[in-house]
Amino acid sequence: TSQPSTVSRVETFWIGHNLLAASEEDGCAECEEGTWCIGGSKTSCPDHSWSERGSSAEEQCECLLGYYGPGRGPCASCPAGSWCPGGEEARACPDNSSSPA
């Protein structure tokens, strides 16, 4: 287990881990859903993407349903004629089907 490095009485950082704490008394808390944390800093995922609780890298932010793109974004709206289950790819609609843009 890593030992915390106290930066001030207000904030405690566990360097190199996906943990963030508001105060020494609170201890370290796991990074929230929709964010990623490293070195004591919390960053929101890019627009139209989400991450699991405890994420430690922007690449762990995945595009939401109806969007596609690489980890870290940007996530684009699903194009006409395809469906996007979330993640990196837009999939073509099967024969004899369609989807709006």
Side-chain angles (χ1 to χ4, degrees):
T1 305
S2 296
Q3 295 298 312
S5 170
T6 302
V7 176
S8 72
R9 288 187 52 82
V10 180
E11 296 178 284
T12 301
F13 297 94
W14 286 20
I15 305 304
H17 289 70
N18 53 338
L19 302 169
L20 181 67
S23 71
E24 291 177 35
E25 293 80 25
D26 291 342
C28 292
E30 194 171 37
C31 196
E32 302 167 358
E33 292 177 348
T35 64
W36 58 279
C37 302
I38 192 160
S41 296
K42 179 173 72 172
T43 305
S44 294
C45 286
D47 291 342
H48 311 295
S49 66
W50 196 252
S51 65
E52 296 291 324
R53 181 177 192 85
S55 295
S56 60
E58 190 174 16
E59 291 81 11
Q60 292 174 300
C61 298
E62 293 187 4
C63 295
L64 296 169
L65 179 67
Y67 295 89
Y68 73 104
R72 298 191 323 194
C75 296
S77 293
C78 201
S82 28
W83 62 281
C84 300
E88 295 187 5
E89 59 186 81
R91 299 177 183 173
C93 288
D95 291 340
N96 303 316
S97 66
S98 66
S99 70

